[in-house]
């Protein structure tokens, strides 16, 4: 039998963790329990973070929306700040898992699981998000793109939790788009995904653009060359095709049971062409 | 000791904290209406309502029930008094049950859909049921049943107008 602790505050958490430093923390368990079941990991004891109020909800902080790590996907879908300022994140969460998985799973768990297919990751890259990490006596902030170092790997330290995600408001963009290609609609891990933020001038010229791809590398892939190829241009098929060439060069997909590398590479470029339909 | 409300009844259970909720329900409490299909979040057969929201009892531990209100399929009829819940009635009426393995989870997901949205479209019903797999029915009758249940629960006329019933 494993001991499972259910702290109701951060103070509670630190007190307990000090005495049981080998315990693994979890939030929704939708990733952790699947891994424990497959035998991939077997922590001696567990700490569930779901009751810690300090880790929930979302608030406005200047140019950022600060989202508690244990906010569930379902909660974020209904949160008015997130809906207003981070539409690309909302679009991604809408296609994450199933209703029950969204009722349980959290944004913090999605980040810490660090899957290249994690649906909140491309939006958070595009939004220049940061993570707030906490341990008993200090806290630090890191860019999400530095926090995630490889499949399943983050810079989180021993005795440290992800407390919050700071996502920059996307108010300066007028085109927000997340698209995931999976093998079916629901409960599908992405084969390739793309989060796009575009600021178009009133004349339809791209003034600023952020693009981030999922499932085509060890972490999320960004492609400054593709972004540069779009700036100052209109979103025509021709310009998007040119940018797509850079995108296909930037990605480093693998073949697995869901798709092969060549298909992923082609798709990574083709997803860009969809912006034509959104603009 | 875990304290929670199960189908309207106060419970105090001395379960190991790492007992999965699906095992607690089925093995320890004998409530075998909740099914385990995949044990990994993929099939929805183990769906229960926790504080009114659908959750997967195969990915939840006993200690997480502390202070919660849990509804399993056995408790669904209590919500409407005697007899079957309108969702259950509609499943029977529309032939939405074949082997029945997915039915408890489907019914609880359906209840949540209708509670949040008393007049769901077929697309919304499909989305709401998207985490519940059925290997028998092909889903059409299940979607029809949920639509009919929503209609009935909204106390509208007995027959749903044909224009809404079109696929
Ligand atoms: C059927 C199914 C379908 C799924 N579909 C998708 C999908 O379409 N897209 C997708 O992106 N994901 C999907 N997932 C994966 C998973 O649901 C998500 O990644 C979810 O966001 C994980 O959140 P969680 O809170 O449940 O994580 P948990 O399982 O609680 O935790 C995941 C990992 O992060 C660590 N952790 C969690 N929170 C913290 C914290 N605050 N501080 C430090 N460490 C922490 C845990 O130790 C663990 O290692 C799916 C899962 C299932 C079971
Ligand atoms: S048994 Fe829980 S989702 Fe399949
Ligand atoms: S009726 Fe058999 S699985 Fe749905």
């Amino acid at each position: 039998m494993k001991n499972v602790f259910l702290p109701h505050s951060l103070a509670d958490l630190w007190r307990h963790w000090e005495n049981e430093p080998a315990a693994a923390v979890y939030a929704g368990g939708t990733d952790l329990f699947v891994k424990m079941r497959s035998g991939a990991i077997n922590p001696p004891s567990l700490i569930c973070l779901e009751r810690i109020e300090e880790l929930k909800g979302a608030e406005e902080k200047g140019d950022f929306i600060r989202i508690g790590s244990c906010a569930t996907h379902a909660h974020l879908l209904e949160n008015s700040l997130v809906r207003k300022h981070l539409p690309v994140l909302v679009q991604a969460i809408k296609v994450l898992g199933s209703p029950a998985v969204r009722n349980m799973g959290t944004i913090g768990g999605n980040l810490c699981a660090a899957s290249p297919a994690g649906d909140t990751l491309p939006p958070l890259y595009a939004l220049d998000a940061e993570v707030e990490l906490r341990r008993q006596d200090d806290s630090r902030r890191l860019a999400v793109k530095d926090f995630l170092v490889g499949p399943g790997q983050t810079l989180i330290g021993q005795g440290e939790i992800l407390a919050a995600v700071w996502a920059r408001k996307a108010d300066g963009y007028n085109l927000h788009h997340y698209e995931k290609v999976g093998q079916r609609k629901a409960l599908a891990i992405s084969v390739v995904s793309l989060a796009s933020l575009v600021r178009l001038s009133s004349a339809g010229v791209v003034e600023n653009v952020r693009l981030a791809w999922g499932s085509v590398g060890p972490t999320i892939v960004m492609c400054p060359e593709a972004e540069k190829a779009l700036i100052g241009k209109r979103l025509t098929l021709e310009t998007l095709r040119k940018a797509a060439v850079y995108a296909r060069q930037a990605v480093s997909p693998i073949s697995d049971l869901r798709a092969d590398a060549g298909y992923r590479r082609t798709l990574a470029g083709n997803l860009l062409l969809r912006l034509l339909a959104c603009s | 000791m875990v304290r929670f409300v199960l189908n309207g009844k106060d419970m105090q259970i001395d379960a190991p904290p790492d007992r999965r909720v699906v095992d607690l329900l089925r093995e320890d409490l004998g409530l075998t209406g909740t099914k385990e299909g995949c044990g990994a979040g993929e099939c929805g057969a183990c769906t229960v309502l926790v504080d009114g929201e659908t959750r997967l009892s195969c990915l939840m531990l006993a200690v997480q029930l502390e202070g919660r209100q849990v509804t399993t399929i056995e408790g669904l009829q209590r919500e409407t008094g005697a007899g079957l819940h309108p969702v259950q009635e509609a499943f029977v009426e529309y032939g939405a049950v074949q082997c029945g393995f997915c039915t408890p989870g489907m019914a609880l997901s359906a209840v949540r859909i209708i509670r949040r949205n008393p007049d769901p479209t077929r697309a919304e019903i499909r989305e709401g049921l998207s985490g519940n797999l059925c290997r028998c029915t092909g889903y059409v009758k299940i979607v029809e049943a949920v639509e009919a249940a929503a209609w009935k629960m909204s106390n509208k006329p007995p027959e749903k107008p044909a224009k809404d019933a079109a696929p």
Side-chain angles (χ1 to χ4, degrees), chain B residues 10-29:
Chain B
D10 285 323
M11 306 292 281
Q12 266 198 41
I13 290 175
D14 203 6
D18 66 340
R19 191 92 169 125
R20 294 184 313 161
V21 171
V22 64
D23 297 327
L24 180 86
L25 293 170
R26 291 180 54 85
E27 314 276 330
D28 304 346
L29 298 172

Side-chain angles (χ1 to χ4, degrees), chain A residues 115-126 144-145 148 193 195 211-222:
Chain A
S115 160
D119 279 305
T120 68
L121 276 43
L124 292 175
Y125 268 61
V144 165
K145 65 177 179 8
L148 297 165
S193 60
L211 304 167
W213 283 264
S215 299
V216 285
T219 60
I220 303 309
V221 174
M222 294 195 77

